[in-house]
Amino acid sequence: TEARKQGATPCAYSKPMRDALLRRADLERTMEGALEQGEFFHLVQPKYDVTGTRVLGGEALVRWSRPDEGIVGPDEFIPLFEQNGFILRLDEFVFESVCRNLRARLDAGLPVVPISVNVSRLHLHRPDFLSTYVRIKDEHGIPDGLCELELTESIVIEDLHGMFDIMEGMRRAGFRCAIDDFGSGQSSLNVLKDLPADVLKLDRDFLLEGSLPGTEETVVRTVITMAKELRMDTVMEGVETPKQLAFLRTTACDMVQGFVFSRPVPPEEFYRLLDENAE
Ligand code: C2E
Ligand code: MG
Ligand code: MG
Ligand code: MG
C-alpha cells in the first residue's frame, strides 16, 4: 500500500526480498573460489571450568573473510550451504584445519585439549561420512578422544533410532560425541537416556533474559543432574553475565562456554590461553 501511494509499479519481489536473493546468488557464486583462496577460517571459543581458571576444551567456529566486506558469520551462509551442499566440504575443511593445529601442538610437545567441530545434518545421510572424518583424523595422527563432533539437537531428534548407531560408530572410531543446542527444540529429557553421547551442550536459550532465576533454574539444574547421572560431560553455552555464572557454580555443570570468559578467538590466541593455563 505504501508503494502504491508513491506510485511505484507493483512487482513480484519486494526490495528486501530482491536484496536477499542477490546476496544469496553472490555468496553462492563466490563460495568455491573463496575456499580455494583461503577466505574461510575458523576461530576457537574456549570452554572453561566454572571457576574460569582452566581451559578444558574448545569449539571451532567457521568465518568467511570476504574482500571488500570483512568477516561474515556462519548464520549468514550456513543455511545456504546446507541447501546447496557446499557445507560438506566446508565442514571437512574446518575439521582438517583443527587437526593440523592439534598436530602442530603435539609435535611441539605442548598441551592439548579436546576440540569440537560442528557437523551438519547433511553428512549423516552419507555412507562415507565417518570414514572421511576418520581419514582426516588419521592422516594427522590425532589420538583418540581429542576430536569431538557436535550434532545439534534437531538432527538428533529427527531420527532417534538412527542416531544411536551413528553416535556409537563415532565413538568406536575414537571421536567424542556431543549433543549441541540441547533444549532449543522439542526434545524431552527422556531422549537423553537412549543416546550414547559423551557431552551435552545446553542451549543458551535457557539463559535468556527473564528466564533466570526461577523455574528455568530448576530446569537447568535438572538437565545437568540427569546428564551427569548418565555420565555425560555438561557444557553451558552462551554464558554472558557473572550472575548466570554464579548460578552455574551451584550446579554440577562441568564447563562454561560464553562471552563471560572469552569470545571465539583465532587458534593461536586460543593456544596462548591454554599455555598460560599450564604455567
Ligand atoms: P553453535 O554450534 O551453537 O555455536 C555457538 C554459537 O554461540 C557461536 O556463534 C558463538 O560465537 C556463540 N556464542 C558463544 N558464547 C556466546 C555468548 O556468551 N553470547 C552469545 N550471544 N553468543 C555466544 P557463531 O560462531 O556465530 O556460530 C553460529 C552457529 O553456526 C553455530 O552455533 C553452529 O550451529 C554453526 N556453525 C559454526 N561453525 C560451523 C561449522 O564449521 N560447521 C557447521 N556445520 N556449522 C557451524
Ligand atoms: Mg556447536
Ligand atoms: Mg551450540
Ligand atoms: Mg546454540
Side-chain angles (χ1 to χ4, degrees):
T1 51
E2 202 47 40
R4 210 163 280 161
K5 256 185 266 165
Q6 291 165 12
T9 39
C11 66
Y13 297 115
S14 64
K15 172 123 176 38
M17 263 174 88
R18 220 176 52 118
D19 288 350
L21 285 169
L22 287 173
R23 173 68 170 166
R24 216 188 122 98
D26 185 39
L27 295 177
E28 217 156 16
R29 187 175 49 76
T30 53
M31 63 190 188
E32 300 265 353
L35 189 59
E36 280 155 29
Q37 297 301 311
E39 291 175 20
F40 290 102
F41 66 100
H42 75 276
L43 301 176
V44 183
Q45 187 175 31
K47 299 166 196 169
Y48 281 89
D49 72 332
V50 289
T51 67
T53 44
R54 298 206 70 80
V55 176
L56 301 176
E59 175 177 11
L61 297 159
V62 73
R63 299 289 183 266
W64 185 353
S65 172
R66 303 193 82 216
D68 306 327
E69 185 181 336
I71 299 198
V72 180
D75 289 338
E76 230 195 299
F77 54 81
I78 288 202
L80 173 64
F81 292 173
E82 286 194 324
Q83 283 171 30
N84 66 24
F86 188 64
I87 193 67
L88 294 168
R89 282 170 60 201
L90 190 60
D91 279 354
E92 284 167 25
F93 166 78
V94 170
F95 181 54
E96 171 128 46
S97 310
V98 163
C99 288
R100 199 175 313 122
N101 291 339
L102 281 171
R103 186 69 254 160
R105 295 285 297 183
L106 293 165
D107 284 346
L110 292 165
V112 287
V113 285
I115 307 291
S116 59
V117 295
N118 293 281
V119 173
S120 164
R121 55 179 14 85
L122 251 60
H123 293 279
L124 302 181
H125 303 296
R126 295 174 65 91
D128 62 347
F129 152 67
L130 196 56
S131 61
T132 302
Y133 275 71
V134 167
R135 177 180 54 73
I136 296 171
K137 179 166 73 75
D138 287 351
E139 271 170 11
H140 293 85
I142 309 300
D144 286 359
L146 276 182
C147 298
E148 186 174 307
L149 305 179
E150 296 194 5
L151 305 175
T152 78
E153 178 196 66
S154 58
I155 316 180
V156 174
I157 302 313
E158 270 164 24
D159 177 17
L160 261 188
H161 188 73
M163 202 48 57
F164 183 92
D165 293 336
I166 288 173
M167 287 184 167
E168 275 294 304
M170 287 177 177
R171 296 176 79 192
R172 267 198 307 274
F175 292 99
R176 282 158 58 90
C177 182
I179 301 172
D180 198 3
D181 306 320
F182 186 81
S184 63
Q186 308 303 314
S187 60
S188 71
L189 266 183
N190 221 16
V191 306
L192 287 184
K193 70 174 189 340
D194 298 323
L195 290 170
D198 301 284
V199 182
L200 187 71
K201 301 189 76 179
L202 283 76
D203 194 75
R204 74 187 188 88
D205 276 7
F206 277 124
L207 300 178
L208 288 188
E209 200 55 54
S211 300
L212 289 173
T215 49
E216 285 297 310
E217 274 194 359
T218 313
V219 175
V220 170
R221 195 184 300 283
T222 305
V223 174
I224 290 171
T225 305
M226 178 151 174
K228 293 310 297 172
E229 273 173 24
L230 295 166
R231 306 198 177 180
M232 296 179 193
D233 284 346
T234 48
V235 181
M236 187 72 232
E237 295 189 303
V239 181
E240 292 181 353
T241 69
K243 205 171 148 200
Q244 293 167 338
L245 199 55
F247 161 69
L248 289 165
R249 286 179 181 151
T250 72
T251 72
C253 187
D254 298 294
M255 283 172 258
V256 162
Q257 181 184 344
F259 297 170
V260 73
F261 289 140
S262 173
R263 291 185 173 259
V265 294
E268 312 80 63
E269 168 75 6
F270 170 81
Y271 282 115
R272 205 182 51 73
L273 293 169
L274 190 61
D275 288 337
E276 274 174 12
N277 240 213
E279 276 163 15

